[in-house]
Amino acid sequence: MTVDRSDPGAPLILVGGDLAYTTAGPLRTGIDRVLADAPPALVLDFADLIFIDSTGLGVIVHAWREGQHGGTALQLRAVPRFLETILDMTGVADLLARPLGDGLTPAEDATGRPTRPA
């Protein structure tokens, strides 16, 4: 992971290698640090991504959710075909396509589906 803050309006995080349970923590921390400054946009570049698991996917959803709370739009760049497929199959692509400020309601989960009462 590399963070490029040369554009303060849209900091860029380059994500490469495996984004999995054992490697997702530093990315989540880096995202939280960038979002603490509430930039208008955050760009995640996946050009060098080789593998992603559900934990990595959760980090992307976390970035979107936290961005929604702070007014930061999340943009994905250089998304490999396999990640594109995963985002579509899980419904995360639809979630990420929501306009800024159209976040999850308390009755929705991270896929945007209604939650069931306990």
Side-chain angles (χ1 to χ4, degrees), residues 9 12-13 20-21 23 31 35-36 45 50 52 55-57 70-71 79 81 84 104 114-115 117:
L12 171 70
I13 298 179
Y21 178 75
T23 60
I31 287 169
L35 290 176
D45 186 307
I50 297 170
I52 189 168
T55 306
L57 189 61
V79 177
R81 181 85 174 127
E84 207 173 281
L104 297 176
T115 56

Side-chain angles (χ1 to χ4, degrees):
M1 174 191 81
T2 305
V3 179
D4 177 358
R5 293 179 184 253
S6 59
D7 179 355
L12 171 70
I13 298 179
L14 302 166
V15 182
D18 292 346
L19 181 52
Y21 178 75
T22 58
T23 60
L27 177 59
R28 185 178 173 127
T29 300
I31 287 169
D32 288 343
R33 284 186 183 142
V34 170
L35 290 176
D37 295 333
L42 169 61
V43 180
L44 299 180
D45 186 307
F46 295 100
D48 296 326
L49 186 69
I50 297 170
F51 172 81
I52 189 168
D53 72 2
S54 61
T55 306
L57 189 61
V59 172
I60 295 171
V61 173
H62 169 78
W64 174 83
R65 185 182 311 116
E66 293 303 309
Q68 287 285 312
H69 292 300
T72 299
L74 180 65
Q75 301 171 4
L76 305 186
R77 185 165 76 181
V79 177
R81 181 85 174 127
F82 72 89
L83 178 55
E84 207 173 281
T85 301
I86 292 168
L87 294 172
D88 286 339
M89 287 176 52
T90 59
V92 174
D94 293 334
L95 182 73
L96 298 175
R98 292 181 180 191
L100 188 60
D102 188 20
L104 297 176
T105 65
E108 292 178 329
D109 65 13
T111 65
R113 295 185 186 117
T115 56
R116 295 184 187 144

